[in-house]
Amino acid sequence: AQKVTQAQTEISVVEKEDVTLDCVYETRDTTYYLFWYKQPPSGELVFLIRRNSFDEQNEISGRYSWNFQKSTSSFNFTITASQVVDSAVYFCALVTDSWGKLQFGAGTQVVVTP
Amino acid sequence: DSGVTQTPKHLITATGQRVTLRCSPRSGDLSVYWYQQSLDQGLQFLIQYYNGEERAKGNILERFSAQQFPDLHSELNLSSLELGDSALYFCASSVGAGEPDTQYFGPGTRLTVL
């Protein structure tokens, strides 16, 4: 069975601190896709990154970076020098079927205070 | 703005009623997905359509149904509504060809059943 675990329910940081969100996934498939989405207080879901199982390169996009480790089935997300605008719920998701059905983790609420 | 539109933004109705949620995908996208976000269940996949045909089904109740029309917009019909159906309903779209690609989400419809 496929599963995504985001064990951190809420993380509170002060602005400019770094914050790392953990995502652990379970699947027996050798081909799969991992995603991160952001849900700000306004409620919409914003796409952040897509990674397939054959691409273990870490990625950096501005203050965001992702660490994909197949050996530990983890796809962690780090926000460097956090800002108040980073306050949101962040979801990790897994796709294992050809039609792209997203299986989401429970989400991690990030609260950044000035 | 993801390019996916959903109407209405908010919907308040009574138990036992029927409602229709509408979604227009991004230009060029052939796949439409419906997800439900509730406090107790989190984000759950309901159903997917590709170019007018149903392709995948998730935890969708029998009281719920959906369709995708020739112009590619989709409607999610919820009937015999119960209090527990109160949730945020998201539509997402993707190109839908080949390997699973990124799903872009609409702003959601918040359904409140009283």
Side-chain angles (χ1 to χ4, degrees), chain A residues 11-19 38 40-41 61-64 78-88 90 110-114:
Chain A
I11 301 175
S12 293
V13 296
V14 177
E15 216 172 10
K16 295 184 185 173
E17 288 183 344
D18 297 348
V19 55
K38 173 183 179 180
S61 176
R63 296 182 297 104
Y64 294 171
T78 297
I79 304 172
T80 302
S82 60
Q83 300 176 0
V84 173
V85 292
D86 296 326
S87 295
Y90 291 85
V110 172
V111 179
V112 183
T113 52

Short mmCIF file of all heavy atoms in Angstrom, two decimals, chain A residues 11-19 38 40-41 61-64 78-88 90 110-114:
data_model
loop_
_atom_site.label_atom_id
_atom_site.label_comp_id
_atom_site.label_asym_id
_atom_site.label_seq_id
_atom_site.Cartn_x
_atom_site.Cartn_y
_atom_site.Cartn_z
N ILE A 11 5.04 23.48 12.97
CA ILE A 11 6.38 23.98 13.28
C ILE A 11 6.28 25.50 13.39
O ILE A 11 5.76 26.16 12.48
CB ILE A 11 7.40 23.62 12.18
CG1 ILE A 11 7.49 22.11 11.98
CG2 ILE A 11 8.77 24.19 12.52
CD1 ILE A 11 8.38 21.70 10.82
N SER A 12 6.77 26.01 14.50
CA SER A 12 6.77 27.47 14.70
C SER A 12 8.20 27.97 14.71
O SER A 12 9.04 27.41 15.43
CB SER A 12 6.07 27.83 16.02
OG SER A 12 4.71 27.53 15.95
N VAL A 13 8.47 28.99 13.93
CA VAL A 13 9.81 29.57 13.87
C VAL A 13 9.69 31.09 13.89
O VAL A 13 8.62 31.65 13.60
CB VAL A 13 10.58 29.13 12.62
CG1 VAL A 13 10.84 27.63 12.64
CG2 VAL A 13 9.86 29.55 11.35
N VAL A 14 10.81 31.71 14.19
CA VAL A 14 10.91 33.15 14.11
C VAL A 14 11.50 33.50 12.75
O VAL A 14 12.33 32.75 12.22
CB VAL A 14 11.77 33.71 15.26
CG1 VAL A 14 11.93 35.22 15.12
CG2 VAL A 14 11.16 33.35 16.60
N GLU A 15 11.06 34.58 12.20
CA GLU A 15 11.53 35.01 10.89
C GLU A 15 13.06 34.91 10.80
O GLU A 15 13.77 35.20 11.77
CB GLU A 15 11.09 36.45 10.65
CG GLU A 15 10.72 36.75 9.23
CD GLU A 15 10.10 38.12 9.04
OE1 GLU A 15 10.13 38.94 9.98
OE2 GLU A 15 9.59 38.36 7.95
N LYS A 16 13.52 34.49 9.61
CA LYS A 16 14.94 34.31 9.26
C LYS A 16 15.51 32.98 9.73
O LYS A 16 16.65 32.65 9.37
CB LYS A 16 15.80 35.46 9.77
CG LYS A 16 15.46 36.80 9.12
CD LYS A 16 16.39 37.90 9.56
CE LYS A 16 15.92 39.23 8.96
NZ LYS A 16 16.65 40.38 9.47
N GLU A 17 14.76 32.24 10.52
CA GLU A 17 15.23 30.90 10.87
C GLU A 17 14.97 29.95 9.70
O GLU A 17 14.07 30.18 8.88
CB GLU A 17 14.50 30.38 12.12
CG GLU A 17 14.91 31.03 13.41
CD GLU A 17 14.22 30.43 14.62
OE1 GLU A 17 13.20 29.71 14.44
OE2 GLU A 17 14.68 30.66 15.75
N ASP A 18 15.75 28.88 9.64
CA ASP A 18 15.52 27.84 8.65
C ASP A 18 14.51 26.84 9.21
O ASP A 18 14.47 26.60 10.43
CB ASP A 18 16.81 27.11 8.31
CG ASP A 18 17.85 28.02 7.68
OD1 ASP A 18 17.50 29.17 7.29
OD2 ASP A 18 19.02 27.60 7.58
N VAL A 19 13.74 26.24 8.34
CA VAL A 19 12.79 25.23 8.78
C VAL A 19 12.79 24.07 7.80
O VAL A 19 12.81 24.27 6.59
CB VAL A 19 11.37 25.83 8.95
CG1 VAL A 19 10.90 26.50 7.68
CG2 VAL A 19 10.37 24.78 9.39
N LYS A 38 1.84 23.92 -1.39
CA LYS A 38 1.68 24.88 -0.29
C LYS A 38 0.23 25.34 -0.24
O LYS A 38 -0.37 25.63 -1.29
CB LYS A 38 2.59 26.08 -0.55
CG LYS A 38 2.42 27.25 0.41
CD LYS A 38 3.32 28.41 0.02
CE LYS A 38 3.15 29.60 0.94
NZ LYS A 38 4.04 30.73 0.56
N PRO A 40 -1.60 28.31 1.55
CA PRO A 40 -1.57 29.49 2.41
C PRO A 40 -2.94 29.68 3.07
O PRO A 40 -3.90 28.99 2.73
CB PRO A 40 -1.25 30.62 1.44
CG PRO A 40 -1.67 30.12 0.10
CD PRO A 40 -1.54 28.63 0.13
N PRO A 41 -3.04 30.63 4.00
CA PRO A 41 -4.31 30.86 4.70
C PRO A 41 -5.48 31.14 3.76
O PRO A 41 -6.62 30.87 4.11
CB PRO A 41 -4.00 32.07 5.59
CG PRO A 41 -2.53 31.97 5.83
CD PRO A 41 -1.94 31.43 4.57
N SER A 61 15.45 26.19 -5.18
CA SER A 61 14.73 27.22 -5.91
C SER A 61 14.58 28.42 -4.97
O SER A 61 13.71 28.42 -4.10
CB SER A 61 13.36 26.70 -6.36
OG SER A 61 12.62 27.72 -6.98
N GLY A 62 15.44 29.37 -5.12
CA GLY A 62 15.41 30.52 -4.23
C GLY A 62 15.70 30.10 -2.80
O GLY A 62 16.74 29.49 -2.51
N ARG A 63 14.76 30.37 -1.91
CA ARG A 63 14.96 29.99 -0.50
C ARG A 63 14.48 28.58 -0.20
O ARG A 63 14.60 28.09 0.92
CB ARG A 63 14.20 30.98 0.41
CG ARG A 63 14.71 32.41 0.34
CD ARG A 63 13.96 33.34 1.30
NE ARG A 63 12.55 33.45 0.98
CZ ARG A 63 11.57 32.83 1.66
NH1 ARG A 63 11.87 32.08 2.71
NH2 ARG A 63 10.31 33.01 1.32
N TYR A 64 13.93 27.92 -1.21
CA TYR A 64 13.42 26.56 -1.04
C TYR A 64 14.44 25.54 -1.54
O TYR A 64 15.07 25.75 -2.59
CB TYR A 64 12.13 26.38 -1.85
CG TYR A 64 10.93 27.18 -1.42
CD1 TYR A 64 9.79 27.22 -2.20
CD2 TYR A 64 10.92 27.90 -0.23
CE1 TYR A 64 8.67 27.93 -1.83
CE2 TYR A 64 9.81 28.62 0.15
CZ TYR A 64 8.69 28.64 -0.65
OH TYR A 64 7.58 29.36 -0.28
N THR A 78 13.19 22.17 2.77
CA THR A 78 13.76 23.18 3.67
C THR A 78 13.48 24.57 3.15
O THR A 78 13.68 24.85 1.96
CB THR A 78 15.28 22.98 3.84
OG1 THR A 78 15.52 21.71 4.45
CG2 THR A 78 15.88 24.08 4.71
N ILE A 79 13.02 25.41 4.06
CA ILE A 79 12.86 26.84 3.76
C ILE A 79 13.99 27.55 4.50
O ILE A 79 14.10 27.45 5.73
CB ILE A 79 11.50 27.37 4.22
CG1 ILE A 79 10.36 26.57 3.60
CG2 ILE A 79 11.37 28.85 3.87
CD1 ILE A 79 8.98 26.91 4.16
N THR A 80 14.81 28.24 3.74
CA THR A 80 15.94 28.96 4.33
C THR A 80 15.53 30.41 4.60
O THR A 80 14.83 31.01 3.77
CB THR A 80 17.14 28.93 3.38
OG1 THR A 80 17.47 27.55 3.13
CG2 THR A 80 18.35 29.64 3.96
N ALA A 81 15.97 30.92 5.72
CA ALA A 81 15.67 32.32 6.07
C ALA A 81 14.18 32.60 5.92
O ALA A 81 13.76 33.42 5.11
CB ALA A 81 16.51 33.27 5.22
N SER A 82 13.39 31.91 6.72
CA SER A 82 11.93 31.97 6.58
C SER A 82 11.40 33.40 6.70
O SER A 82 12.00 34.27 7.36
CB SER A 82 11.28 31.08 7.64
OG SER A 82 11.64 31.52 8.93
N GLN A 83 10.26 33.61 6.04
CA GLN A 83 9.58 34.90 6.07
C GLN A 83 8.13 34.67 6.50
O GLN A 83 7.61 33.56 6.37
CB GLN A 83 9.63 35.55 4.69
CG GLN A 83 11.03 35.81 4.19
CD GLN A 83 11.05 36.38 2.78
OE1 GLN A 83 10.00 36.59 2.16
NE2 GLN A 83 12.25 36.63 2.27
N VAL A 84 7.49 35.72 6.94
CA VAL A 84 6.10 35.60 7.39
C VAL A 84 5.21 35.04 6.27
O VAL A 84 4.29 34.27 6.52
CB VAL A 84 5.58 36.97 7.88
CG1 VAL A 84 4.09 36.90 8.18
CG2 VAL A 84 6.35 37.40 9.14
N VAL A 85 5.53 35.38 5.03
CA VAL A 85 4.72 34.90 3.90
C VAL A 85 4.84 33.39 3.70
O VAL A 85 4.07 32.81 2.93
CB VAL A 85 5.09 35.61 2.58
CG1 VAL A 85 4.69 37.05 2.63
CG2 VAL A 85 6.56 35.42 2.25
N ASP A 86 5.80 32.77 4.36
CA ASP A 86 5.94 31.32 4.27
C ASP A 86 4.95 30.60 5.17
O ASP A 86 4.84 29.37 5.11
CB ASP A 86 7.36 30.89 4.64
CG ASP A 86 8.41 31.42 3.67
OD1 ASP A 86 8.10 31.53 2.47
OD2 ASP A 86 9.53 31.74 4.13
N SER A 87 4.25 31.33 6.01
CA SER A 87 3.26 30.70 6.90
C SER A 87 2.17 30.07 6.06
O SER A 87 1.48 30.73 5.27
CB SER A 87 2.65 31.76 7.83
OG SER A 87 3.62 32.29 8.70
N ALA A 88 2.02 28.76 6.21
CA ALA A 88 1.08 28.00 5.37
C ALA A 88 1.09 26.56 5.86
O ALA A 88 1.89 26.18 6.72
CB ALA A 88 1.51 28.05 3.91
N TYR A 90 1.93 22.88 4.43
CA TYR A 90 2.68 22.29 3.32
C TYR A 90 2.36 20.80 3.24
O TYR A 90 2.43 20.08 4.24
CB TYR A 90 4.18 22.51 3.52
CG TYR A 90 4.57 23.96 3.38
CD1 TYR A 90 4.48 24.82 4.48
CD2 TYR A 90 5.00 24.49 2.16
CE1 TYR A 90 4.82 26.17 4.36
CE2 TYR A 90 5.34 25.82 2.03
CZ TYR A 90 5.25 26.65 3.13
OH TYR A 90 5.58 27.98 3.01
N VAL A 110 3.20 25.48 9.06
CA VAL A 110 4.37 26.29 9.39
C VAL A 110 3.89 27.67 9.80
O VAL A 110 3.14 28.33 9.06
CB VAL A 110 5.33 26.39 8.19
CG1 VAL A 110 6.45 27.39 8.48
CG2 VAL A 110 5.91 25.02 7.86
N VAL A 111 4.31 28.09 10.98
CA VAL A 111 3.96 29.42 11.48
C VAL A 111 5.26 30.21 11.64
O VAL A 111 6.15 29.81 12.40
CB VAL A 111 3.22 29.34 12.83
CG1 VAL A 111 2.90 30.73 13.34
CG2 VAL A 111 1.95 28.51 12.68
N VAL A 112 5.35 31.30 10.90
CA VAL A 112 6.54 32.16 10.97
C VAL A 112 6.14 33.48 11.61
O VAL A 112 5.27 34.19 11.10
CB VAL A 112 7.13 32.42 9.57
CG1 VAL A 112 8.40 33.26 9.70
CG2 VAL A 112 7.42 31.10 8.86
N THR A 113 6.77 33.78 12.74
CA THR A 113 6.42 35.01 13.44
C THR A 113 7.54 36.04 13.26
O THR A 113 8.71 35.68 13.17
CB THR A 113 6.19 34.76 14.93
OG1 THR A 113 7.32 34.04 15.45
CG2 THR A 113 4.95 33.92 15.15
N PRO A 114 7.15 37.31 13.21
CA PRO A 114 8.17 38.36 12.98
C PRO A 114 9.11 38.48 14.17
O PRO A 114 8.78 38.12 15.29
CB PRO A 114 7.35 39.64 12.82
CG PRO A 114 5.94 39.22 12.66
CD PRO A 114 5.80 37.85 13.25
#
